[in-house]
Amino acid sequence: MQTLTATPVTDVRPAVHGEGPTWDATRQELVWVDIDAGQVRRATVSPLGVVAEVGVHHGGATVGFVVPAADGGWLLGADGGVTHLDPDGGSRVLVALDREGGTAPDGTRMNDGAVDPVGRLFGGTMAFDERTGAGSLYRVDLDGSVHTVLTDLTISNGIEWTADGRTVFLADSGPATVRAYDYDVETGSFGASRVVVDLSDDDAGAPDGIAIDDEDHLWVAVWGGGQVRRYSPAGELLAVVRVPTENTSSCAFAGPGLDHLVISTSTQGLSDEAKAAQPDAGRLFVVRPGVTGRPAGVYRGPVDALRQV
Ligand code: BGC
Ligand code: CA
């Protein structure tokens, strides 16, 4: 097994709850979020992996994910719905999701999201109190219709597809698993599933954000474990990236060569003592993993016609 160590990005201010880095290939920028600050953060990544911040935008009270949209802006999983962010930083709510059959607040928020190989957006939710079964996974189709794909999740987390689009991986930090589902790229529907990563008996922590490399292997951020792990599609552990702060939240291939792995971290839940012992908590980290990956999928549906069906 390979062991690597990630380096902190000390020139970029740390986040409170850093999450969801992804490479916007059109702009050649890294976008990521600070969930608890409600911010989208943008950075360049040089060929040598030097990260420099170029913009910070407010997207809502909480922002769980950011993905590029074909209109040149971004879609955010913000609060309990989907928000559009313009390149000049203006934001507007596109749809607020109704849950559990009503409009009453159910104490949930958007968490991780990503775009499938043809441009559909997927976003998952979790309860602020992390209660079991309160999370769902939603899909925004290419006509703007919003569908519920899965219910009874707990902390819906990283989601990525294999290169052929026939398998989708979804992490749920509640049961501490990553499942592989058969995926129908024609319809966006999920089929039979199996567990490929199970950390429920592992003291290391829970799977959070994920990335997929050009060999269709998974890079799984282990929340609570200060690690990103590489697994084969069959679930064999092949490499560990050590990160010197415990809440490793997500990762993405970034940079012009897509050959750097950028890792987000979070201060969420750390005591004052833990924060003092982990001064880089909340920072981005970078490592060269020796393999390349893919940029973010781009949402290709309309931005002004989102409606829940
Ligand atoms: C959430 C955190 C949660 C963590 C657990 C993250 O995606 O944003 O609030 O504690 O997952 O794995
Ligand atoms: Ca996450």
Side-chain angles (χ1 to χ4, degrees), residues 147-172:
H147 306 259
T148 304
V149 181
L150 298 171
T151 56
D152 290 322
L153 301 171
T154 294
I155 303 178
S156 186
N157 248 318
I159 178 165
E160 281 298 338
W161 290 261
T162 51
D164 66 7
R166 293 175 63 177
T167 303
V168 58
F169 297 98
L170 177 70
D172 185 341

Side-chain angles (χ1 to χ4, degrees), residues 114-193:
V115 173
D116 86 351
V118 299
R120 300 181 190 95
L121 172 69
F122 285 77
T125 59
M126 60 174 278
F128 283 98
D129 64 6
E130 304 190 357
R131 67 183 184 276
T132 303
S136 299
L137 181 71
Y138 297 91
R139 182 185 77 229
V140 183
D141 277 344
L142 296 173
D143 63 359
S145 58
V146 184
H147 306 259
T148 304
V149 181
L150 298 171
T151 56
D152 290 322
L153 301 171
T154 294
I155 303 178
S156 186
N157 248 318
I159 178 165
E160 281 298 338
W161 290 261
T162 51
D164 66 7
R166 293 175 63 177
T167 303
V168 58
F169 297 98
L170 177 70
D172 185 341
S173 308
T177 55
V178 180
R179 300 188 84 92
Y181 295 80
D182 294 339
Y183 188 69
D184 183 346
V185 85
E186 295 297 316
T187 61
S189 46
F190 280 41
S193 73

Side-chain angles (χ1 to χ4, degrees), residues 17 19 35 109 111-112 126 130 155 157 173 206-208 223 268:
H17 186 7
E19 264 280 5
I35 297 183
R109 66 158 172 86
N111 201 36
D112 287 39
M126 60 174 278
E130 304 190 357
I155 303 178
N157 248 318
S173 308
D208 194 333
W223 176 272
Q268 184 184 276

Side-chain angles (χ1 to χ4, degrees), residues 212-218 230-233 238 290-294:
I212 201 158
D213 66 32
D214 284 328
E215 295 170 3
D216 271 349
H217 285 42
L218 287 172
R230 185 183 193 225
Y231 290 93
S232 74
L238 299 174
V291 62
T292 53
R294 292 192 286 274

